Amino acid sequence: MHDNKTIMTGDLNSNLQCPIPKSDYEHVLLAHGGGGKLTQQLIEKMIYSRLGNEILEKGHDGAFLPHISSELAMSTDSFVVDPIFFPGGDIGDLAINGTVNDLVCCGAEPLYISLAFILEEGFLLDELWKIIQSIEKSAHEACVKIVTGDTKVVEKGKGDKIYINTTGIGRVVPGLRISPDNCQEGDVVIINGTIGDHGIAIMSERAGFSFESGIKSDTAPLNRMMQDVFARQPNIHVLRDPTRGGLSSALNEISQSSGKGITLFESQLPVTEGVRGACEIMGFDPLYIANEGKILVILPERHAGEVLGIMRSHETGRESRIIGKISGRHGGLLHLETNIGSTRIIDMISGEMLPRIC
Amino acid sequence: MHDNKTIMTGDLNSNLQCPIPKSDYEHVLLAHGGGGKLTQQLIEKMIYSRLGNEILEKGHDGAFLPHISSELAMSTDSFVVDPIFFPGGDIGDLAINGTVNDLVCCGAEPLYISLAFILEEGFLLDELWKIIQSIEKSAHEACVKIVTGDTKVVEKGKGDKIYINTTGIGRVVPGLRISPDNCQEGDVVIINGTIGDHGIAIMSERAGFSFESGIKSDTAPLNRMMQDVFARQPNIHVLRDPTRGGLSSALNEISQSSGKGITLFESQLPVTEGVRGACEIMGFDPLYIANEGKILVILPERHAGEVLGIMRSHETGRESRIIGKISGRHGGLLHLETNIGSTRIIDMISGEMLPRIC
């Protein structure tokens, strides 16, 4: 997917100095969103210099994408996470990984991403520059191209530093038919690792004890791992990333829309000691906490071993395991089989536990 | 493009009551963006009920789009206009028309739009409902489908009522090759009507004299008119919608990227008496004011008559006319031939005249 230019940048890990010198501008001004010279300077010096490719740099009202013949998937998300920098990531890689993973959950190979900033007047150009470099790195890792963009600026107090929208399109992998309606009695639910890390990383950063807790966001693009699965075992029924609302919301949505019951095994739920401890202190349940690098794979039990093997061969799936099954009873409900042998209904979250988690 | 459901709604002009009763919720809460029950209620009752179609209502992480075999165009824009309701439109139809017109400027037939809201806590659900109805109406008019979406809520004071991102994809019309680099000496510049209306409508609304001025935004989808042009005369070199930064920014960008000179004829620039008067009072130049229903068509002079005829046969192009030409001199610069016979350079806007105009 990468053009020469992207590969040639090479220095993806370097922390380059912001190309707009502080003596010119240190902060975002309203004029940076005015469509005139300052907008042009911001786009050329800060955006094209890191994210540029032959499609983006046409600088047209939109991007021209090469001929494609396929079913497509399209997904959009706005990112309003607070704080914008947190252990394990920032709003930039979150915005790329989030949309990449939504496309993966459609059984698609992510190809093109649009990138739209809403900047608050007074936001530090240095921080914007860090975020742009982080976007570059994550787009590179996920093998997607930023093809078109937009920059708006709102007055101080009408935003919060930076909001980002990414919208992606991808090629649906032929032969896959992913839909929540597809789940069947006897299917199993796989997750690729521990739950709650992203939400708790954000909360500890807000509460000021992220250093002590050491908990990092799990934000990561999952397309390489899942492309590998798609290529070798396309018999997958449902995919879902348990982001806002956590595992409980994702699985409740699936059980509601399929009319099937889902049972989770508490003993199998992977939760790190750190997240478990933080949840106890703050009074949260890891089942309701957002994840940003996790995927739920629902598929016939007979393929589970093979798919687990493929997933575990990737860094992002090292700790993949079966955490639940689709059951013939309790249609439309999510149950938890607890460690002490009882069963309880896990309802969807109704209020708001963690605002601006992504 | 329309599925039965969209056509059957029928009552596009009705001002229906908000489907979430005031006794439940009158304002947007943080929980409406939490990914739980309230998010689900908002999406189902307010969004699916008006914008629903068989693609959107799958309610997946992304949309599955039917098989397509084509070059595609993709465009994104965030809308942060203030005020959100203004004479001639609101942030809802602006968000649809803006992205539709950006796709048109790529020579594409707009097909699918994603819709992402960033809502401020405390925003009135009644106003959101009005905006959703306006989105429905404009999407219907432009024959595009809303296929996927996202809703985030930020705390009071961290946003301003509502920001909307729309990202669109369209099918590039075969045979068209639209690019700013294409303009040739001898080409003419056509515009489809008066300039400055949108920006001045917003400014008068802000200044509190919109009723007296009677100036309305020109926001409109231009795809029907331009599809007609594309079908009958594909020999078009450049298309551009003069939005933020107005005519001067759009034409300066074209002259810079093509290295050609552009001459505008002051005597031919269509400006209403109202806009002219308001500009004089407020000290603005209509050349720098944003438009939202205008398109610049640059093409060989020999085709101008035919294209003007087609454009004038549409409501959105009734007042189409030639306002300039591509010249062999002054490469990279935009000149104005004034009414008194002199010539002056029209530079790109550098500062910020009208923040949050779209």
Side-chain angles (χ1 to χ4, degrees):
Chain A
M1 280 306 306
H2 284 291
D3 54 330
N4 291 336
K5 197 150 194 175
T6 311
I7 289 169
M8 276 162 58
T9 56
D11 51 357
L12 286 172
N13 283 308
S14 70
N15 215 328
L16 298 171
Q17 203 160 13
C18 180
I20 297 180
K22 285 202 175 46
S23 53
D24 285 0
Y25 302 101
E26 197 172 343
H27 301 95
V28 170
L29 308 180
L30 282 173
H32 282 117
K37 281 183 189 171
L38 284 193
T39 307
Q40 212 179 32
Q41 187 196 46
L42 183 88
I43 291 173
E44 285 173 5
K45 293 203 173 174
M46 293 183 67
I47 298 181
Y48 287 177
S49 71
R50 303 314 304 175
L51 308 179
N53 56 59
E54 75 290 358
I55 301 177
L56 182 67
E57 287 180 58
K58 287 279 180 200
H60 210 283
D61 286 317
F64 291 98
L65 308 180
H67 189 280
I68 192 165
S69 178
S70 174
E71 282 179 83
L72 297 178
M74 180 176 190
S75 183
T76 191
D77 256 320
S78 293
F79 295 83
V80 299
V81 65
D82 171 37
I84 55 174
F85 300 101
F86 47 82
D90 61 44
I91 191 171
D93 46 40
L94 203 64
I96 299 299
N97 295 338
T99 288
V100 161
N101 293 345
D102 279 347
L103 292 171
V104 168
C105 287
C106 295
E109 174 198 357
L111 299 173
Y112 305 112
I113 304 264
S114 66
L115 177 69
F117 293 131
I118 297 178
L119 307 176
E120 185 190 14
E121 182 189 13
F123 181 49
L124 281 171
L125 285 177
D126 259 355
E127 297 201 334
L128 177 59
W129 181 237
K130 268 192 212 166
I131 290 165
I132 289 170
Q133 290 177 82
S134 166
I135 289 171
E136 177 190 17
K137 200 174 157 190
S138 50
H140 183 89
E141 199 180 331
C143 277
V144 291
K145 268 192 181 133
I146 313 290
V147 292
T148 190
D150 179 50
T151 304
K152 293 290 189 321
V153 180
V154 296
E155 306 93 323
K156 201 160 177 59
K158 303 290 185 184
D160 194 6
K161 295 179 180 171
I162 180 170
Y163 298 146
I164 301 180
N165 177 282
T166 51
T167 303
I169 61 178
R171 183 199 320 265
V172 175
V173 175
L176 285 184
R177 274 289 159 271
I178 307 296
S179 167
D181 308 340
N182 284 353
C183 59
Q184 308 283 336
E185 193 178 336
D187 283 358
V188 294
V189 182
I190 290 175
I191 195 166
N192 59 316
T194 55
I195 60 171
D197 303 79
H198 175 73
I200 295 299
I202 299 288
M203 287 306 288
S204 353
E205 183 71 18
R206 282 190 207 158
F209 63 87
S210 65
F211 182 76
E212 296 88 324
S213 80
I215 298 163
K216 283 187 179 169
S217 167
D218 60 340
T219 178
L222 303 175
N223 52 330
R224 291 189 183 192
M225 173 178 75
M226 292 310 296
Q227 289 315 125
D228 208 0
V229 171
F230 298 158
R232 291 155 68 187
Q233 183 43 266
N235 195 353
I236 290 166
H237 291 159
V238 189
L239 295 168
R240 186 64 61 102
D241 54 343
T243 54
R244 269 187 300 179
L247 206 58
S248 75
S249 285
L251 289 175
N252 261 297
E253 276 174 30
I254 294 170
S255 62
Q256 279 168 29
S257 67
S258 67
K260 298 286 193 305
I262 301 181
T263 304
L264 275 180
F265 313 127
E266 189 176 24
S267 62
Q268 296 306 307
L269 288 178
V271 187
T272 64
E273 277 311 302
V275 167
R276 196 182 298 277
C279 278
E280 275 167 19
I281 292 168
M282 299 194 276
F284 290 132
D285 182 339
L287 285 173
Y288 293 96
I289 307 284
N291 309 279
E292 289 292 338
K294 292 301 171 316
I295 189 166
L296 297 166
V297 183
I298 301 182
L299 80 174
E301 190 170 11
R302 66 183 182 283
H303 300 306
E306 181 190 3
V307 167
L308 279 171
I310 302 168
M311 291 173 71
R312 286 177 184 151
S313 74
H314 288 260
E315 189 53 43
T316 49
R318 204 68 72 202
E319 296 174 63
S320 299
R321 59 164 83 181
I322 294 172
I323 56 166
K325 64 173 186 200
I326 309 302
S327 71
R329 297 180 308 156
H330 313 303
L333 293 176
L334 174 65
H335 279 81
L336 183 73
E337 256 184 43
T338 68
N339 287 338
I340 53 166
S342 66
T343 298
R344 64 180 171 94
I345 291 180
I346 302 292
D347 200 2
M348 209 162 179
I349 195 168
S350 69
E352 174 50 52
M353 244 164 63
L354 302 167
R356 296 182 57 191
I357 211 70
C358 62
Chain B
M1 281 308 306
H2 284 291
D3 55 329
N4 291 336
K5 196 150 196 173
T6 312
I7 289 169
M8 276 162 59
T9 56
D11 50 358
L12 286 172
N13 284 308
S14 69
N15 216 327
L16 299 171
Q17 206 161 11
C18 180
I20 297 180
K22 284 203 177 48
S23 53
D24 284 0
Y25 302 102
E26 196 172 345
H27 301 94
V28 170
L29 308 181
L30 282 173
H32 282 118
K37 281 184 189 169
L38 284 192
T39 308
Q40 212 180 32
Q41 186 195 49
L42 184 89
I43 291 173
E44 285 173 7
K45 293 204 173 173
M46 294 184 67
I47 299 181
Y48 287 177
S49 71
R50 304 312 304 174
L51 308 179
N53 57 58
E54 75 289 359
I55 301 176
L56 182 67
E57 288 181 57
K58 287 277 181 203
H60 210 282
D61 285 318
F64 291 98
L65 308 180
H67 189 278
I68 193 166
S69 178
S70 173
E71 282 179 82
L72 297 178
M74 180 176 191
S75 183
T76 190
D77 256 320
S78 293
F79 295 83
V80 299
V81 65
D82 170 37
I84 54 174
F85 299 100
F86 47 82
D90 61 45
I91 191 171
D93 46 40
L94 203 64
I96 299 299
N97 295 338
T99 288
V100 162
N101 293 345
D102 279 346
L103 291 171
V104 168
C105 287
C106 295
E109 174 198 357
L111 298 174
Y112 305 112
I113 304 264
S114 66
L115 176 70
F117 293 132
I118 297 177
L119 307 176
E120 186 191 13
E121 182 189 14
F123 182 49
L124 282 171
L125 285 177
D126 259 357
E127 298 201 335
L128 176 60
W129 180 237
K130 267 191 209 166
I131 290 165
I132 289 171
Q133 289 177 82
S134 167
I135 288 171
E136 178 189 16
K137 200 174 157 191
S138 51
H140 184 89
E141 199 179 333
C143 279
V144 291
K145 267 190 182 138
I146 313 290
V147 292
T148 190
D150 179 50
T151 303
K152 292 291 189 319
V153 180
V154 295
E155 306 92 323
K156 199 158 178 62
K158 301 291 184 184
D160 194 6
K161 295 178 179 171
I162 178 170
Y163 298 146
I164 302 180
N165 177 282
T166 52
T167 303
I169 62 177
R171 183 198 321 263
V172 175
V173 176
L176 286 183
R177 274 291 159 270
I178 307 295
S179 166
D181 308 339
N182 284 353
C183 59
Q184 308 284 337
E185 193 179 334
D187 283 358
V188 295
V189 181
I190 290 175
I191 196 166
N192 60 315
T194 56
I195 59 170
D197 302 79
H198 175 73
I200 295 298
I202 298 287
M203 287 305 288
S204 350
E205 183 71 17
R206 282 188 207 161
F209 64 87
S210 65
F211 183 75
E212 297 87 322
S213 80
I215 298 162
K216 285 187 177 166
S217 166
D218 59 340
T219 178
L222 302 175
N223 53 329
R224 290 190 183 191
M225 172 177 77
M226 293 310 296
Q227 290 312 128
D228 207 359
V229 171
F230 297 158
R232 291 154 69 186
Q233 183 45 264
N235 195 352
I236 291 167
H237 290 158
V238 189
L239 295 168
R240 185 64 61 104
D241 54 342
T243 53
R244 269 187 300 178
L247 206 57
S248 74
S249 285
L251 288 174
N252 261 297
E253 275 175 29
I254 294 169
S255 62
Q256 279 169 29
S257 66
S258 66
K260 298 287 192 304
I262 301 181
T263 304
L264 275 180
F265 313 128
E266 189 177 23
S267 62
Q268 296 306 307
L269 288 179
V271 187
T272 64
E273 277 312 303
V275 167
R276 197 182 298 278
C279 277
E280 275 167 18
I281 292 169
M282 298 193 276
F284 290 132
D285 182 337
L287 285 173
Y288 293 97
I289 308 283
N291 310 278
E292 289 291 340
K294 292 302 170 319
I295 190 166
L296 297 165
V297 182
I298 301 182
L299 78 175
E301 190 170 12
R302 65 183 184 283
H303 301 307
E306 181 189 2
V307 167
L308 280 171
I310 301 168
M311 291 174 72
R312 286 176 183 152
S313 73
H314 288 260
E315 190 53 42
T316 48
R318 205 68 73 201
E319 296 173 63
S320 299
R321 59 165 80 183
I322 294 171
I323 57 166
K325 63 174 186 200
I326 309 303
S327 70
R329 297 179 308 154
H330 313 303
L333 293 177
L334 174 65
H335 279 81
L336 183 73
E337 256 185 43
T338 68
N339 287 338
I340 55 167
S342 67
T343 297
R344 64 179 171 93
I345 291 180
I346 302 292
D347 200 1
M348 209 162 179
I349 196 170
S350 69
E352 175 51 52
M353 246 167 60
L354 302 167
R356 296 181 56 190
I357 211 70
C358 62

